[in-house]
Amino acid sequence: MKLVLLGPPGAGKGTQSVRLAQHFAIPQISTGDILRKAVKDKTKLGSLAKKYMDSGTLVPDEVVIGIIRERIIEPDCKNGYILDGFPRTIAQAEALDEMLERIGTQVDHVVNISVGDKEIIKRLAGRRTCISCGAGYHILFDPPKQEGVCDRCGGKLIQRDDDKEETIRARLKVYQQQTEPLIAYYKGKHLLHSIPGEGNMEEIFSAILEALGEKSPKAGS
Ligand code: AMP
């Protein structure tokens, strides 16, 4: 199963792709996570990517295409993978098609999670992450017991630099201009499933499974 998750920043791609990866027992590949780790580790890739990420713009296509090209040939990808945050431009989608075509395969499904702009700003501006263990919180929807402190490990909770309101607006603009055209691209290939992303996390997960022709974990219980 080779699955692409599309959707604006804050649509819940990360959450749903982790669940889907567990369900299908295949890896979740998030270009955002790979780039954030590179920034944290202060690698060459990280220092290149940081200025784009901090301003909410996209890291150049050739850089992320190179990351994916190397990642999908790892042994854990042999039964498929969930791509979370890639492709984000038509050029990336075409490069992915080419990579897969060369090895005689293709993307199986594309799931687009749709959420309105107002909801996205509310979600992203309240998002907090533990600097030590990476656990995620939301100041309104999933607050920690003690403000600013991780329930799991006691680490400090921080806001991602690119989750500040000004950068969120820039990211949304970039999404509309560069990523949204992928909806038509994959619709044209008859691979697209559009799922409303404003309900409860479990319901959205079930809707995705249903669109993929899978049985929801709740069905039959
Ligand atoms: P995300 O965690 O997916 O929201 O990604 C965070 C940031 O990483 C984005 O705002 C971009 O700067 C960069 N990034 C992640 N994936 C890509 C991609 N496929 N193409 C270009 N830039 C990306």
Side-chain angles (χ1 to χ4, degrees):
M1 165 75 81
K2 283 177 260 1
L3 180 65
V4 167
L5 274 194
L6 283 184
K13 295 189 297 294
T15 310
Q16 297 298 340
S17 58
V18 168
R19 295 284 309 269
L20 288 163
Q22 280 167 356
H23 180 88
F24 290 108
I26 53 178
Q28 170 228 14
I29 302 177
S30 155
T31 37
D33 285 350
I34 293 170
L35 292 168
R36 269 185 294 280
K37 181 166 187 309
V39 171
K40 198 171 156 211
D41 295 346
K42 297 194 164 53
T43 65
K44 217 164 124 193
L45 168 66
S47 69
L48 182 149
K50 188 172 175 5
K51 58 177 187 291
Y52 298 100
M53 297 173 80
D54 285 352
S55 64
T57 54
L58 294 184
V59 172
D61 284 335
E62 63 273 19
V63 175
V64 280
I65 290 169
I67 292 174
I68 291 297
R69 197 186 295 285
E70 285 178 18
R71 181 64 186 90
I72 63 173
I73 54 170
E74 297 279 326
D76 64 332
C77 290
K78 69 176 191 308
N79 294 326
Y81 34 82
I82 317 271
L83 293 177
D84 163 14
F86 182 95
R88 254 177 157 102
T89 62
I90 295 283
Q92 292 177 19
E94 287 173 349
L96 177 65
D97 285 346
E98 258 178 56
M99 276 178 231
L100 295 179
E101 226 173 85
R102 227 174 285 150
I103 51 170
T105 175
Q106 58 171 49
V107 169
D108 296 305
H109 296 280
V110 177
V111 170
N112 176 48
I113 307 179
S114 55
V115 178
D117 288 4
K118 253 196 181 156
E119 174 71 16
I120 284 170
I121 292 169
K122 199 163 76 184
R123 285 187 189 183
L124 292 186
R127 198 153 79 164
R128 298 292 181 271
T129 312
C130 173
I131 203 167
S132 308
C133 74
Y137 297 87
H138 192 282
I139 55 173
L140 300 177
F141 311 130
D142 182 20
K145 290 195 185 86
Q146 190 187 337
E147 198 185 316
V149 180
C150 179
D151 292 349
R152 276 207 233 156
C153 77
K156 186 176 165 204
L157 300 185
I158 54 155
Q159 184 176 38
R160 266 171 56 171
D161 282 339
D162 59 353
D163 278 348
K164 309 263 157 76
E165 185 157 342
E166 206 186 294
T167 318
I168 294 171
R169 289 192 190 280
R171 288 165 70 198
L172 276 174
K173 217 175 189 174
V174 166
Y175 169 77
Q176 280 151 7
Q177 289 171 348
Q178 304 198 56
T179 309
E180 225 166 38
L182 290 178
I183 295 175
Y185 179 87
Y186 285 120
K187 209 183 246 174
K189 292 180 179 283
H190 308 289
L191 294 175
L192 192 82
H193 308 276
S194 265
I195 307 287
E198 294 198 21
N200 140 320
M201 203 181 85
E202 287 302 323
E203 284 164 13
I204 297 168
F205 181 60
S206 298
I208 295 175
L209 287 184
E210 199 177 316
L212 299 178
E214 287 281 308
K215 256 202 186 138
S216 148
K218 274 190 203 149
S221 66

